[in-house]
Amino acid sequence: AASSAGGTGVPLLDLQGICSGYGQARVLKGIDLTIPEGQAVAILGANGAGKTTLARTIGGAIAPTSGVLRIAGEDVSGRPPHRIAELGVAHCMEGRRIFPTLTVQENLLIAARNADASAARERLGAVYDLFPVLAERKDQGGTSMSGGQQQMLAIGRALMARPRLIIFDEISLGLAPVVMDKLYEALAVLKQAGMTLIIIEQDVDRALALADHAYVLEHGVFGLSGAPSQIAADPR
Ligand code: ATP
C-alpha cells in the first residue's frame, strides 16, 4: 500500500461538506471526513442512515450535489466511478458482484485492472495467501461456494486492483460468527500491511475492534465520532 500520499501529510481521502442523494431525496447532508493513509475507519449507523450512499458517493457511483471530495489531494468531485477506481479506490459491496459463469480464478483475474500477466499472477498469489480456500476452489464456479467464501472472493476481487483504499460495505451481513471472524482476520492483515480501510458495519463490536477512528451516521450527518473506545462507551 505504499503511495505518494504516504508521509506527505496529505490525507488519502478528504470530504468537505459533501451532500448527495437520489433525485429529490437528499441523503447526505454535509459530511466532513478526513482519512490519513493507512487508517481504518468504521462508519456505523442504523438502517437507512446513509452508509451505503456515503460509500457510493466516495466511489463515484453517485455524484455529490455539493461539497468537495479529494483523493490524495486531487479534487475528484463528480468524477465517474472508473476514474475514481483508477486512483486506487475499491468498493467491496453488498451483493458481491461475482460473475456466476466464471470460475473463482477467472473472477479474480478479470478484476486485475491494468495489470500485465506477471503482475496479475503475483496479485493472485497474494489473494490465495490471504484466503487459501479460494486457491482450493479456484476452478469452481464463482457463485457455487458458500456465502462466506463468496465474500472472500469479493474481497479478493477488490484486492486484485491493488487499491490504496478499500470500502467494505457490510461484508459480514448474514454470515455465521465463525466466518465473520475469518473475514475480520483478513481485514486485520490488510490493515497491518498499511492499506486504508473504510468499514461500514452493523456489527458495531467487530468494526470498533479493528478501527482507528469511528463515525456514527444519523440521518445523513455524523452524529458522533471519536476513538473506538469512546464510541463504545457512549450510551448514545
Ligand atoms: P442499510 O444499512 O439499510 O443499507 P444505509 O445506512 O446504508 O442503510 P442507504 O442505503 O445509504 O442507508 O439509504 C439512505 C436513504 O436513501 C434511505 O432512506 C433509502 O431509502 C434511500 N435510498 C437508498 N437508495 C436509494 C435509491 N436508489 N433511490 C432513492 N432513495 C434511495
Side-chain angles (χ1 to χ4, degrees), residues 22 25 27 45-54 56 94 170 202:
Y22 310 90
V27 177
N47 282 329
K51 303 181 298 296
T52 295
T53 304
L54 177 59
R56 300 184 73 209
E94 296 167 273
E170 300 201 17
Q202 298 218 9

Side-chain angles (χ1 to χ4, degrees), residues 22-201:
Y22 310 90
Q24 297 292 310
R26 291 181 61 223
V27 177
L28 301 182
K29 299 164 188 157
I31 295 289
D32 297 336
L33 175 65
T34 301
I35 307 184
E37 182 120 47
Q39 219 182 54
V41 164
I43 309 278
L44 312 172
N47 282 329
K51 303 181 298 296
T52 295
T53 304
L54 177 59
R56 300 184 73 209
T57 303
I58 294 169
I62 306 174
T65 49
S66 61
V68 180
L69 169 62
R70 288 193 191 87
I71 294 170
E74 194 173 335
D75 185 350
V76 298
S77 321
R79 276 200 206 165
H82 64 281
R83 300 287 307 282
I84 291 188
E86 281 166 10
L87 295 172
V89 175
H91 191 175
C92 196
M93 64 191 87
E94 296 167 273
R96 301 175 191 143
R97 299 212 169 165
I98 292 164
F99 294 109
T101 55
L102 301 184
T103 65
V104 167
Q105 181 147 311
E106 287 164 345
N107 263 283
L108 290 168
L109 287 173
I110 208 166
R113 58 170 49 240
N114 301 332
D116 61 26
S118 81
R121 258 196 314 277
E122 190 232 314
R123 293 178 194 185
L124 195 60
V127 170
Y128 287 158
D129 284 345
L130 190 64
F131 297 120
V133 70
L134 296 183
E136 289 163 25
R137 313 240 149 158
K138 69 184 171 64
D139 297 321
Q140 233 174 281
T143 49
S144 71
M145 301 187 294
S146 70
Q149 289 163 355
Q150 288 188 45
Q151 196 56 270
M152 291 171 193
L153 179 54
I155 296 172
R157 283 174 51 93
L159 290 171
M160 288 299 287
R162 271 290 143 93
R164 300 161 76 178
L165 164 71
I166 306 193
I167 307 169
F168 297 97
D169 193 348
E170 300 201 17
I171 52 165
S172 61
L173 203 66
L175 300 179
V178 57
V179 181
M180 289 187 210
D181 289 345
K182 281 217 158 40
L183 292 178
Y184 270 82
E185 278 166 25
L187 263 52
V189 170
L190 298 178
K191 181 185 167 182
Q192 193 66 38
M195 197 171 280
T196 310
L197 313 178
I198 296 181
I199 305 139
I200 294 176
E201 253 310 347

